[in-house]
Amino acid sequence: MRRGGEGDGTCQYPTGHASCHGDVPVIGPLATGLIVLALLIMLSGIVTAVRNRPMGTVILVALGVLEVGLLVQAGFAVAGVIGGEGAGETATLIGYLAGTLLIPPAAAFLGLAERSRWGPAVIAVGAFAVCVMVGRLLQIWHGTA
Amino acid sequence: MSEPAIGSGPGRALLAVYGVFALAAGARAAVQIATRFEEAPLAYALSAFASVVYVVLTVALARGNRRLALVACGIELAGVLIVGTLSMADPAAFPHATVWSGYGSGYVFIPLVLPVIGLYWLLRRK
């Protein structure tokens, strides 16, 4: 994992710029994993909706795993910010972290309440939102937004 | 309930989309206004207004308030058309993007399509 820092020549900013204090090593792979998981949940939501079934346990468990992963990511990111890492924009970063945490429980609640094909459709919407938000989170973290 | 609920079936999926937009636009506006309101007061005030419209729509769908949802959907459509046109005609007035600038191009035009789908859904079931 690349660690952008002073003197390694990979930094486009002057030494000491916030953008160059690099990555908490875990953020990149974890975020990628979370995006893949959210995409899988979105796909299974779409497939379930197309097959005209209500959402089942598998999607619910996957949403739980996603939420745990998002919590872990938020923990690492907050620790990183406190440790002076991440590329500025702290308020935006916190906003995205908090926002992503809200979506899986809300989607599960709505999706379970709707016992038709539109339940898994709700899950697909939520999972897509998580994909986009984790992607943006990565950009903000690396200062490439 | 004599009328079918507007917040179930496909309406529930619509509610989810509006919820996501309420969250996204609201959080974005809050951050913009809290950290750099003086840079682009108009754009950020519009961001906040848009997020309020999305919140109202989410609540109206969840509570089955058809009239409120219709009004909010109309305001949403008018907003995205007016702000979209203004942002194209006078980009200098909108140096910072809002949900509705460029007809929602920053959000793959979902803000433009959403009120049309919303109005269709609300009026079709009446």
Side-chain angles (χ1 to χ4, degrees), chain B residues 16-94:
Chain B
V17 178
Y18 275 119
V20 167
F21 267 87
L23 178 67
R28 181 176 191 174
V31 167
Q32 288 173 333
I33 288 174
T35 59
R36 43 178 188 275
F37 183 65
E38 64 290 342
E39 281 179 27
L42 175 65
Y44 295 161
L46 276 171
S47 274
F49 176 72
S51 72
V52 170
V53 172
Y54 288 125
V55 170
V56 168
L57 262 165
T58 309
V59 172
L61 281 172
R63 301 187 50 163
N65 191 333
R66 186 187 300 265
R67 181 179 296 176
L68 181 61
L70 265 175
V71 170
C73 236
I75 293 174
E76 186 198 359
L77 184 59
V80 71
L81 290 177
I82 293 169
V83 174
T85 307
L86 286 179
S87 65
M88 294 298 196
D90 185 11
F94 294 88

Side-chain angles (χ1 to χ4, degrees), chain A residues 14-79:
Chain A
T15 303
H17 187 280
S19 292
C20 303
H21 284 264
D23 326 339
V24 169
V26 81
I27 291 258
L30 178 59
T32 309
L34 289 173
I35 291 173
V36 171
L37 177 58
L39 278 175
L40 288 174
I41 294 174
M42 183 182 82
L43 283 178
S44 56
I46 291 172
V47 168
T48 313
V50 168
R51 292 178 64 212
N52 205 0
R53 306 274 165 83
M55 68 173 277
T57 323
V58 175
I59 287 182
L60 195 61
V61 169
L63 279 174
V65 173
L66 181 66
E67 179 72 5
V68 170
L70 289 169
L71 278 166
V72 171
Q73 173 179 256
F76 277 112
V78 168

